[in-house]
Amino acid sequence: MENRKKVAFYTLGCKLNFSETSTIARNFQDEGFDRVDFEDVADMYVINTCSVTENADKQFKQVVKKAMKLNNKAFVAAVGCYAQLKPEELAAVDGVDLVLGATEKFKILDYINDLSKNDMGEVHSCEISEADFYVGSYSIGDRTRAFLKVQDGCDYKCTYCTIPLARGISRSDALENVLQNAKDISAQNIKEIVLTGVNIGDYGKGEFGNKKHEHTFLDLVQALDEVEGIERLRISSIEPNLLKNETIEFVSKSRTFVPHFHIPLQSGSDAILKMMKRRYLRDVYTERVNKIREVMPHACIGVDVIVGFPGESDEHFLETYHFLNEMDISYLHVFTYSERDNTEAAEMEGAVPANVRAKRSKMLRGLSVKKRRAFYETQLGTQRTVLFESENKEGYIHGFTENYVKVKTPWNPELANTLQNVNLTHIDEDGAVRMEFVAVESV
């Protein structure tokens, strides 16, 4: 039998990257490669990069170093967002053989010959204006949930963001492809699908490779709700101006969509939102949260927020802090602003000192802990459904309720990847919620 080549993958960044890595990995397996863990010796290592934070740059170098330690003769390829934005920088990293940008990453097998090392990283990255076709993808096999990509790219011009430069224009998968992918996923006994994209509320745009479209995000949600075999659907991050009341109302009555929304705010100050070129002001955000609370009082609402944007004064920051403190939300994802090349914000005056950025970030992280605890407390005494994950963490198995409360109970392998009815009883010292089973059998 011939010696099959081994390939390993490492993903930096978002859920969208995970779904794309999975798809690329399946392509390798179809071509006769064996997929192994990144901790194993492989003939080739593929690193899917991220451009959103400064740390992503440092992490990339560490990941390459790790691969080279495992096998210094291995072929190393960098793909994804950072590979599109700074291909030469990545190609110069010791050990990197191939760098593929936004359109090339899905054709990686076309660029590989005999896996012999290059003296210098070879770069193939398009002008980002050429990234106008859509490649569907989803992640599977490593979790109880799958990430299903429905949209890519972004037409927004937020002043801090490199994603349009890294991923190109907004474009969507055809509705029938999304539905087919959802069926393929549910056929593999995966209980939860998370919809992902760069700007998923923009779904429908670019279904035909141009700006024409037949479908909206609401159409997508309604069609997915009817797919047989899917137990749970979760919407990942969605812009407040694109989250329409009709969608919120539909989710509240839906068979499969769970009461969990993640809505980027970025700042609670209208002045800063305008400088960021966001497409809404804080009133719109308040309306969305109030609408969700009106029809789904038990919903979980997560918020993205950026601290230390250029020109953010103490007053602006306190506006954000008080806005979030008074709002009935459940947790925060806090990002410390970092300057990115070729963005408008990087040229703006009024840079906030690093120590002030760090202090503001710490304040909001503290607020997030408080908000999450308060949300969990409102859920004690209620009956929920938990999807258990498959990992034994120090003698416990964890899972999430439909409204994203993290639950733990003593390890029992039979619970893995099952949905169970539980009563939420109390909050443990580590912040997870303890529970009692309502029924022994799976639902």
Side-chain angles (χ1 to χ4, degrees), residues 1 14 16 24 47 60 84 212 229 315 373 391 426:
M1 188 178 144
C14 63
L16 184 55
I24 293 166
I47 304 163
F60 175 74
Q84 175 66 35
K212 275 202 212 119
E315 289 73 22
R373 174 131 195 145
E391 212 181 324
H426 62 281

Side-chain angles (χ1 to χ4, degrees), residues 75-88 90-91 96-113 118 120-128 130 166:
F75 189 89
V76 176
V79 302
C81 291
Y82 197 46
Q84 175 66 35
L85 289 176
K86 304 245 174 126
E88 281 74 24
L90 293 195
V96 173
D97 300 292
L98 179 65
V99 179
L100 298 180
T103 62
E104 292 77 16
K105 63 189 168 194
F106 292 107
K107 308 176 201 157
I108 182 168
L109 286 149
D110 298 347
Y111 292 99
I112 298 165
N113 298 322
N118 292 327
M120 179 73 193
E122 193 182 303
V123 173
H124 297 276
S125 73
C126 63
E127 286 301 315
I128 197 61
E130 292 166 30

Side-chain angles (χ1 to χ4, degrees), residues 101-301:
T103 62
E104 292 77 16
K105 63 189 168 194
F106 292 107
K107 308 176 201 157
I108 182 168
L109 286 149
D110 298 347
Y111 292 99
I112 298 165
N113 298 322
D114 57 358
L115 296 190
S116 53
K117 298 287 288 172
N118 292 327
D119 296 336
M120 179 73 193
E122 193 182 303
V123 173
H124 297 276
S125 73
C126 63
E127 286 301 315
I128 197 61
S129 58
E130 292 166 30
D132 58 359
F133 59 89
Y134 186 86
V135 178
S137 54
Y138 58 86
S139 74
I140 218 164
D142 43 0
R143 289 188 172 83
T144 47
R145 61 183 62 87
F147 298 119
L148 171 57
K149 173 180 161 186
V150 300
Q151 182 273 343
D152 200 350
C154 189
D155 292 341
Y156 289 9
K157 299 285 185 282
C158 302
T159 54
Y160 53 81
C161 186
T162 55
I163 287 174
L165 301 172
R167 283 187 170 269
I169 58 170
S170 178
R171 54 211 189 270
S172 307
D173 205 350
L175 189 59
E176 57 270 23
N177 287 352
V178 176
L179 297 177
Q180 187 55 55
N181 283 340
K183 285 172 190 157
D184 292 349
I185 292 167
S186 64
Q188 301 190 43
N189 194 29
I190 286 179
K191 302 283 194 287
E192 180 173 305
I193 296 176
V194 183
L195 301 186
T196 180
V198 173
N199 185 359
I200 64 172
D202 209 23
Y203 176 80
K205 193 187 277 185
E207 265 182 289
F208 305 103
N210 53 25
K211 289 299 171 201
K212 275 202 212 119
H213 64 90
E214 270 175 34
H215 300 105
T216 63
F217 184 67
L218 179 60
D219 294 337
L220 172 73
V221 166
Q222 289 171 330
L224 280 166
D225 198 45
E226 290 177 11
V227 174
E228 288 295 309
I230 300 176
E231 304 270 0
R232 270 188 187 181
L233 283 154
R234 201 178 289 276
I235 298 168
S236 68
S237 187
I238 182 165
E239 295 282 302
N241 50 305
L242 295 173
L243 177 58
K244 302 288 189 250
N245 284 346
E246 295 85 356
T247 305
I248 295 170
E249 279 170 6
F250 181 79
V251 168
S252 74
K253 301 182 185 79
S254 154
R255 180 180 69 84
T256 52
F257 277 91
V258 294
H260 175 204
F261 295 87
H262 192 92
I263 315 167
L265 169 68
Q266 311 310 14
S267 175
S269 158
D270 281 348
I272 298 292
L273 287 172
K274 285 173 185 168
M275 285 163 67
M276 290 176 164
K277 290 193 179 168
R278 299 293 284 160
R279 299 220 176 171
Y280 54 87
L281 297 174
R282 51 189 260 167
D283 283 358
V284 169
Y285 202 91
T286 307
E287 279 168 27
R288 294 298 175 270
V289 172
N290 291 346
K291 179 67 185 175
I292 293 167
R293 286 279 165 249
E294 177 198 322
V295 294
M296 287 172 274
H298 61 298
C300 180
I301 303 174

Side-chain angles (χ1 to χ4, degrees), residues 372-403:
R372 192 185 297 267
R373 174 131 195 145
F375 171 61
Y376 281 8
E377 281 171 357
T378 66
Q379 297 306 298
L380 297 180
T382 63
Q383 188 176 322
R384 297 280 171 239
T385 308
V386 176
L387 173 57
F388 283 102
E389 296 177 347
S390 44
E391 212 181 324
N392 182 343
K393 289 184 182 166
E394 297 174 358
Y396 287 93
I397 186 168
H398 291 78
F400 284 92
T401 63
E402 62 274 41
N403 60 342

